[in-house]
Amino acid sequence: MQKKLRAVYFYLKIMTAGLFISCCFLLCGCNVYTMSDKGNDVSYDICEEGLMPDELKNIVDDKREQEFKITYTNNDYTYIVIGAGRRDHDNIRIDVDKVYKDENAIYIKSVLRSIATATDSGAMTCPVVVVRIERTMLPVVFR
């Protein structure tokens, strides 16, 4: 009986140690970032479809009808893409208010705006904006 208790106690210690080590590995991959409202302005271009890499064009075309926010990085640039999904009016666009960075991340502030036009044809549209910045490995925070 005493040998069974020792064996159970031994296995309990092994399982506890394994759980502790697993938690340590999981927590080591987590980072905490403080989100800043201030930082250094980032130079960016609003990228027309002709300047986008083919792979990114395909991704955008696949996601166009749903709301989405993605980043795409190649050897030269990082692309930040925001899609508003399917809209019932053609007088809607996405405007980028600000792109800035701090030591933790790149931040992008954008807003969905209605354009004042003389007539609205009522046609469906899927507004998308593609922002191109210098290549970075910093995470992007959408605001």
Side-chain angles (χ1 to χ4, degrees), residues 4-67:
K4 285 185 179 180
L5 283 175
R6 282 186 188 168
V8 169
Y9 183 66
F10 175 75
Y11 288 121
L12 186 60
K13 285 184 2 183
I14 295 295
M15 290 176 56
T16 303
L19 181 63
F20 178 74
I21 291 170
S22 297
C23 287
C24 288
F25 280 119
L26 289 174
L27 293 176
C28 288
C30 298
N31 292 318
V32 176
Y33 298 107
T34 56
M35 291 178 61
S36 173
D37 283 330
K38 297 179 181 169
N40 300 324
D41 286 344
V42 173
S43 173
Y44 67 92
D45 298 316
I46 301 298
C47 194
E48 298 296 325
E49 190 170 323
L51 297 174
M52 292 170 38
D54 291 335
E55 185 178 2
L56 181 57
K57 284 181 198 175
N58 294 336
I59 293 169
V60 170
D61 286 341
D62 290 343
K63 295 182 175 283
R64 182 175 293 277
E65 293 197 11
Q66 302 295 321
E67 290 186 25

Side-chain angles (χ1 to χ4, degrees), residues 75-112:
N75 292 331
D76 301 319
Y77 298 102
T78 294
Y79 297 86
I80 304 168
V81 187
I82 303 169
R86 182 187 298 229
R87 302 295 169 159
D88 293 333
H89 302 284
D90 64 351
N91 65 342
I92 296 175
R93 71 173 186 219
I94 300 170
D95 285 339
V96 175
D97 286 343
K98 188 173 185 180
V99 180
Y100 60 100
K101 72 177 180 176
D102 63 15
E103 65 275 358
N104 295 324
I106 302 285
Y107 301 90
I108 182 165
K109 290 184 179 182
S110 62
V111 65
L112 190 64

